[in-house]
Amino acid sequence: MKGLTEIRWHGRGGQGAKTAALLLADVAFSIGKHVQGFPEYGPERMGAPITAYDRISDSDIRVHSNIYDPDFVAVVDDTLLHSVDVTNGLKKDGAILINTEKNKEEILPLLKGYEGAVYTIDARKVSMETLGKYFPNTPMLAAVVKILAIMEKEVFLKEMEDSLKHKFAKKPEVLEGNMKALRMAFDEVKFLNASDFKAQAECIYANRMDERNAIKQAGVGA
């Protein structure tokens, strides 16, 4: 499948990982992508580990299973690193994003020797400064879009604003806070790996932008 990206989310019940996965699918669909967004089957208990998935593609998606070898993993709660093998199946040329305020000396040893790109964002800091409450899924969603270059920043923000206007029609202050969180998150993503992996991460981003530009050019010439 052309341009297929598979994403696995790890979080705890009540943190919004499932909601973030569904929102990512919605916003990607809005720009013409073929998408799947779904949680792993089972009850979601407050605080219990949960898993959700996204598939985003430039062509039809014909597989309907869980994702076992993701290109990208998003960890909404860093305490899961002690109990869940979040890098299981994660491709070596992929990447992982972790919501944490910890430094690389604390985080990298918990990733079982994973050799791909590692990013972090302090979603608590972002959400507390913009929303006044801890909602990690909003900053995490923006960080995923930035790292994977799923769409241009301003396109993403416009699509999210249009979507959230309906949800928070009677709560304009909540809409404003969420938009501030999304914008701030784009500037708060950190690359955690040692310097010898930086070129790999930059290459991943550059390749995705090259693919996007090629698709745009093909569309213009059609």
Side-chain angles (χ1 to χ4, degrees):
M1 283 171 282
K2 182 180 178 181
L4 175 66
T5 300
E6 295 187 311
I7 303 166
R8 187 174 69 214
W9 297 76
H10 293 279
R12 294 187 182 278
Q15 293 179 330
K18 179 177 72 174
T19 299
L22 297 177
L23 280 172
L24 179 58
D26 286 345
V27 75
F29 179 77
S30 71
I31 63 166
K33 295 290 186 179
H34 298 262
V35 302
Q36 292 177 357
F38 56 98
E40 189 167 56
Y41 180 77
E44 181 178 334
R45 303 189 314 277
M46 186 67 69
I50 66 101
T51 309
Y53 306 94
D54 284 292
R55 285 189 176 96
I56 301 173
S57 177
D58 297 321
S59 58
D60 290 344
I61 301 173
R62 295 184 173 86
V63 60
H64 298 280
S65 64
N66 286 351
I67 295 171
Y68 303 102
D69 300 296
D71 302 287
F72 189 86
V73 165
V75 182
V76 183
D77 188 322
D78 63 357
T79 65
L80 291 170
L81 299 179
H82 298 280
S83 57
V84 177
D85 185 3
V86 297
T87 60
N88 183 37
L90 180 57
K91 295 173 182 174
K92 290 184 178 180
D93 60 350
I96 184 171
L97 167 70
I98 304 164
N99 168 26
T100 187
E101 61 181 11
K102 296 176 181 177
N103 58 39
K104 67 180 183 180
E105 287 77 18
E106 297 173 280
I107 292 297
L108 293 181
L110 301 175
L111 299 182
K112 301 183 182 297
Y114 179 62
E115 298 178 353
V118 180
Y119 297 85
T120 64
I121 183 171
D122 188 346
R124 179 180 292 278
K125 171 188 171 184
V126 174
S127 60
M128 291 302 295
E129 287 188 15
T130 57
L131 293 162
K133 295 181 180 180
Y134 183 41
F135 295 112
N137 59 339
T138 301
M140 288 291 288
L141 173 60
V144 170
V145 170
K146 175 180 179 176
I147 295 167
L148 291 178
I150 293 170
M151 65 190 74
E152 299 293 341
K153 175 182 177 180
E154 293 307 319
V155 173
F156 168 69
L157 292 174
K158 178 63 168 59
E159 294 295 336
M160 285 301 301
E161 184 173 21
D162 289 344
S163 174
L164 294 174
K165 277 181 179 177
H166 296 288
K167 184 175 182 179
F168 300 117
K170 296 182 179 180
K171 298 180 179 180
E173 71 283 359
V174 178
L175 169 62
E176 181 181 358
N178 273 278
M179 293 309 301
K180 286 182 178 179
L182 293 170
R183 291 189 184 93
M184 182 176 175
F186 267 81
D187 298 324
E188 293 293 321
V189 176
K190 297 179 181 179
F191 183 76
L192 210 62
N193 295 66
S195 59
D196 55 337
F197 287 116
K198 187 172 183 179
Q200 177 186 10
E202 291 174 344
C203 183
I204 292 171
Y205 181 86
N207 286 342
R208 293 191 184 280
M209 293 308 297
D210 288 344
E211 289 176 3
R212 190 173 311 288
N213 290 334
I215 291 170
K216 286 182 179 178
Q217 291 174 3
V220 170

